[in-house]
Amino acid sequence: DAGVTQSPTHLIKTRGQHVTLRCSPISGHKSVSWYQQVLGQGPQFIFQYYEKEERGRGNFPDRFSARQFPNYSSELNVNALLLGDSALYLCASSLQVSSYNEQFFGPGTRLTVL
Amino acid sequence: DQQVKQNSPSLSVQEGRISILNCDYTNSMFDYFLWYKKYPAEGPTFLISISSIKDKNEDGRFTVFLNKSAKHLSLHIVPSQPGDSAVYFCAASNTGISSGSARQLTFGSGTQLTVLP
């Protein structure tokens, strides 16, 4: 069974640009979460989606948005990129949204903003 | 304000010995705790978890201890193996504020474990 997949692997953008990151969950998983991991820190929660609805949002500005598609894949969009948005963006999937099931992480997308 | 803290950025242990990784938390609403392991260029991998109603959970070489009164948990790895060398993240979660809302994970900053052969 394929794990969580993310694309692209690496991305370089300049300040002010827009970026879209993609995630495909494990087959059968209906919940997708997005995390930002800045160098030297742990992952920080951005969004969680379940059945195409936003079920949770972390402390991130409105420049960050996301959506989930009928096949449960998800996109994370970031507008007006800032240097501080440079980070590893992790996607995690789980069976349900509010259960004790552990979240399974993808390898991440490394975003560099110049 | 860091709600989950891992105060040791790194730890080195001899192969075969015990590795003890520590984690402290401040939010008393956390009711579920997890440990993840992360290798370079990979996403975090779930290791072991513990509910707040327990004080110990064991899975093979890995044991997690929870001290609720001290808001402290630890991960014990016995015996340590070179393949255990990785960054270990402690994470905590609590039920969302309403039914069906997200069970968010709050991570610590990680501890780099190096197991020396």
Side-chain angles (χ1 to χ4, degrees), chain A residues 3 30 35 50-51 54 60 62 99-100 111-112:
Chain A
K30 298 182 178 182
Y35 292 83
Y50 178 71
E51 292 283 11
E54 182 184 304
F60 279 81
D62 291 344
S99 70
Y100 288 90
L111 172 65
T112 302

Side-chain angles (χ1 to χ4, degrees), chain A residues 74-110:
Chain A
S74 177
E75 283 183 355
L76 175 69
N77 296 285
V78 187
N79 292 323
L81 285 167
L82 303 175
L83 296 179
D85 295 331
S86 295
L88 179 68
Y89 287 85
L90 294 162
C91 172
S93 75
S94 58
L95 280 170
Q96 298 174 37
V97 65
S98 57
S99 70
Y100 288 90
N101 292 326
E102 65 268 19
Q103 297 184 14
F104 295 84
F105 284 83
T109 294
R110 172 71 62 186

